[in-house]
Amino acid sequence: MRCFKSRYLAGLAALVIWAVSASLPTQAATILKPVDQAAQQASFLEFRNQLLQTLERKDLKGLLAVVNKDIKASFGTENGIEGFKELWKLDQPATSSIWRELSTVLKMGGAFSNKTTFVAPYVFSQWPDSIDAFEYAAVLGANVRIRAKPSLNASILKTVSYEILSVEFSENQQWVTVKLSGGKKGYIASQYIRSSVDYRAFFEKIKGRWQMTVFIAGD
């Protein structure tokens, strides 16, 4: 009898715990949708369009014409126009990665921090202050597949849209490990996820002319 009563009470307690937990709201995913305020200022929108064309042509003279002489290009010594040129190996412009990196940043939109400063991409300018930028990253699209293994042939665990996820970056540049509920891990192709401390650019209107004053990664 006592044994039956104990089992009954244990079962009743488990039922109560289940009912309480089921009634609690689940934590909503943190969403970071794309933002692009460039059109709010016609002069900046025109500047950005022209800069994108410059990058597509790999026009070194055109690029340097919009780089501020005191540009912040690193957290080390490679700053100012000469440091920028050295860092991006612009003595060999055809093979420099600046064209790809800066173009990617510009195409991802951004926001004005004030009337004379535009910050791109949106992943940096809109990143929530409460979330650790070194432990989380933003999914860049809708219905992005999280796979069980770092392979396009692996099974799909779930799909996510514009979520901020806990991540583990590794030497595998094609895939990013994401942490799922219950300690499970999945994998997202790297082109669909971005850290807020990846490359970002600041553009300031100085004496009536838009210039790039910052192009940097890290913290």
Side-chain angles (χ1 to χ4, degrees):
M1 183 67 179
R2 288 181 181 178
C3 183
F4 171 79
K5 186 176 182 180
S6 297
R7 288 199 301 270
Y8 171 78
L9 291 175
L12 182 61
L15 181 62
V16 170
I17 291 173
W18 174 85
V20 171
S21 61
S23 67
L24 292 175
T26 56
Q27 187 175 1
T30 303
I31 303 298
L32 186 62
K33 288 190 174 181
V35 170
D36 190 9
Q37 298 177 355
Q40 292 182 6
Q41 288 199 40
S43 65
F44 178 76
L45 182 61
E46 181 181 2
F47 165 82
R48 187 176 69 177
N49 289 340
Q50 291 177 351
L51 181 52
L52 282 168
Q53 293 173 17
T54 295
L55 297 170
E56 187 175 353
R57 296 193 305 267
K58 295 187 176 181
D59 178 358
L60 179 59
K61 184 177 179 181
L63 171 62
L64 295 179
V66 304
V67 176
N68 184 273
K69 65 182 181 64
D70 298 317
I71 186 171
K72 185 171 181 60
S74 77
F75 292 100
T77 59
E78 299 94 343
N79 289 299
I81 192 72
E82 293 303 320
F84 177 82
K85 288 160 67 175
E86 180 182 352
L87 181 66
W88 289 101
K89 297 179 173 59
L90 292 179
D91 57 331
Q92 300 176 349
T95 57
S96 174
S97 58
I98 185 67
W99 317 110
R100 180 187 70 253
E101 295 290 355
L102 183 52
S103 181
T104 297
V105 166
L106 287 171
K107 290 177 181 179
M108 289 180 65
F112 286 98
S113 60
N114 56 55
K115 291 182 179 179
T116 59
T117 304
F118 186 88
V119 181
Y122 79 91
V123 174
F124 177 79
S125 66
Q126 306 301 109
W127 188 261
D129 292 336
S130 60
I131 298 180
D132 190 331
F134 289 95
E135 294 186 5
Y136 291 80
V139 175
L140 300 179
N143 300 315
V144 174
R145 296 166 178 174
I146 298 180
R147 297 186 180 272
K149 294 181 180 180
S151 168
L152 292 175
N153 297 321
S155 60
I156 299 169
L157 300 178
K158 63 183 295 188
T159 60
V160 291
S161 299
Y162 303 108
E163 287 188 26
I164 293 178
L165 300 175
S166 178
V167 298
E168 292 179 1
F169 289 101
S170 67
E171 294 182 359
N172 186 340
Q173 297 183 353
Q174 295 183 327
W175 296 88
V176 174
T177 305
V178 297
K179 300 176 185 178
L180 305 176
S181 59
K184 198 170 185 178
K185 293 182 179 181
Y187 301 86
I188 291 181
S190 59
Q191 66 263 37
Y192 298 116
I193 196 163
R194 187 177 180 91
S195 166
S196 73
V197 292
D198 205 333
Y199 282 105
R200 64 268 193 188
F202 286 53
F203 301 93
E204 296 183 48
K205 196 173 188 179
I206 302 172
K207 295 181 179 180
R209 187 169 70 90
W210 287 101
Q211 302 175 46
M212 185 167 68
T213 56
V214 176
F215 189 58
I216 202 167
D219 189 21

